[in-house]
Amino acid sequence: MKIKCCKNKKVGSELKGIVDFLKVISEENRLRILCILKEQEMCVCEIWQYLDSPQNLTSHHLKVLKGFSLISSRKDGLKVFYKLNKIIIKKYLKLLNKFL
Amino acid sequence: MKIKCCKNKKVGSELKGIVDFLKVISEENRLRILCILKEQEMCVCEIWQYLDSPQNLTSHHLKVLKGFSLISSRKDGLKVFYKLNKIIIKKYLKLLNKFL
DNA sequence: AAACAATATCAATATGTATTGATATTATAT
DNA sequence: ATATAATATCAATACATATTGATATTGTTT
């Protein structure tokens, strides 16, 4: 019996990567941020009002998402605009679909 | 600006459902259990040895997965065999892919 | 330079979830 | 009936993560 995700080292570490990705997106605010940014680029002040979540908390979630390269940002004056990193997200989704 | 996942009630509750699903599978042992069961039906005593996770903890994770209908079980003497509920899992993956 | 607006950071706390150890349950075998 | 094997449950603890409140940073406007 060769169970891939338990015996194979490469597959095992891929699985850990997926788990980390899932931990990041399994939070309501963060998943919502991704959904919002799927439709359009947006600045923080708009995002946190859409979420109905305080500014600092939203900022923190954005940092987590960015730390995982699921989103990227550009500065424009006072504002910081975030946008979705569709390629990275697709990569993880593909991997997840392969595993499940 | 009509951001679906924030304004639309139905979409919003779908999102919460996805989050719950993601919370369940974003745990290494549980995801691994799903991967194992993808390949074959298996009893608890085999599963926990594959995972290298104690019996009671494995049993607990199985309960969580079953509570979400991601797996189902049948009894055969002393042993309990678990198998993947592929249809439910596919349903959630499809939904997730729609959102991201 | 001072005031303001948008964003980020940080420490403290709260909340949730995984893990452990001990024990209960269920079915089988002697 | 007793002993054993497989699984499940439960309370206690440990650990991780989200949230809050206060403050810092950065760029803009006057």
Side-chain angles (χ1 to χ4, degrees):
Chain A
M1 272 184 263
K2 38 174 197 253
I3 302 294
K4 275 180 271 170
C5 55
C6 291
K7 298 296 176 188
N8 183 316
K9 257 191 181 173
K10 191 202 166 206
V11 177
S13 87
E14 274 183 339
L15 187 136
K16 284 186 185 183
I18 295 175
V19 166
D20 290 339
F21 166 70
L22 291 172
K23 277 192 201 305
V24 169
I25 68 169
S26 65
E27 202 283 327
E28 190 174 337
N29 286 309
R30 288 198 291 263
L31 186 59
R32 206 165 245 143
I33 289 172
L34 295 178
C35 288
I36 292 172
L37 296 181
K38 191 187 179 184
E39 309 207 18
Q40 63 196 298
E41 191 190 54
M42 206 179 267
C43 67
V44 182
C45 59
E46 276 188 293
I47 295 172
W48 72 264
Q49 293 179 76
Y50 264 113
L51 292 180
D52 193 28
S53 155
Q55 181 273 320
N56 56 352
L57 183 53
T58 303
S59 185
H60 169 253
H61 285 316
L62 286 167
K63 191 182 180 184
V64 173
L65 289 168
K66 194 179 177 185
F68 234 79
S69 301
L70 302 184
I71 58 177
S72 56
S73 63
R74 71 177 172 84
K75 227 173 178 180
D76 181 14
L78 277 178
K79 294 182 176 180
V80 176
F81 285 86
Y82 283 89
K83 72 167 183 175
L84 208 62
N85 226 326
K86 297 190 183 185
I87 294 172
I88 305 279
I89 290 179
K90 285 297 166 203
K91 195 195 80 180
Y92 278 113
L93 285 182
K94 206 170 170 183
L95 204 56
L96 178 62
N97 279 288
K98 198 185 84 178
F99 268 78
L100 287 185
Chain B
M1 268 185 265
K2 39 175 193 246
I3 303 292
K4 273 181 273 168
C5 55
C6 291
K7 297 296 176 189
N8 182 316
K9 257 192 181 174
K10 190 201 167 204
V11 178
S13 87
E14 272 182 339
L15 188 137
K16 284 187 186 183
I18 295 176
V19 166
D20 290 339
F21 166 69
L22 291 172
K23 277 193 202 302
V24 169
I25 68 169
S26 65
E27 202 282 329
E28 189 174 338
N29 287 310
R30 287 197 291 262
L31 187 57
R32 205 164 248 146
I33 289 172
L34 295 179
C35 287
I36 292 172
L37 297 181
K38 191 188 180 183
E39 309 206 19
Q40 62 198 295
E41 190 189 53
M42 206 179 268
C43 67
V44 182
C45 59
E46 277 188 293
I47 295 172
W48 73 264
Q49 293 181 74
Y50 264 113
L51 292 180
D52 194 28
S53 155
Q55 180 272 321
N56 56 352
L57 182 54
T58 304
S59 184
H60 169 253
H61 285 315
L62 286 167
K63 190 181 178 183
V64 173
L65 289 168
K66 194 179 177 185
F68 234 79
S69 301
L70 302 183
I71 59 178
S72 56
S73 63
R74 71 175 172 86
K75 223 170 180 183
D76 181 14
L78 277 176
K79 295 182 174 178
V80 176
F81 285 86
Y82 282 90
K83 72 167 186 176
L84 209 62
N85 226 325
K86 297 189 182 183
I87 294 172
I88 304 279
I89 290 179
K90 286 296 166 206
K91 195 195 80 182
Y92 278 113
L93 285 181
K94 207 170 171 182
L95 204 57
L96 178 63
N97 280 287
K98 199 184 84 180
F99 267 78
L100 288 184

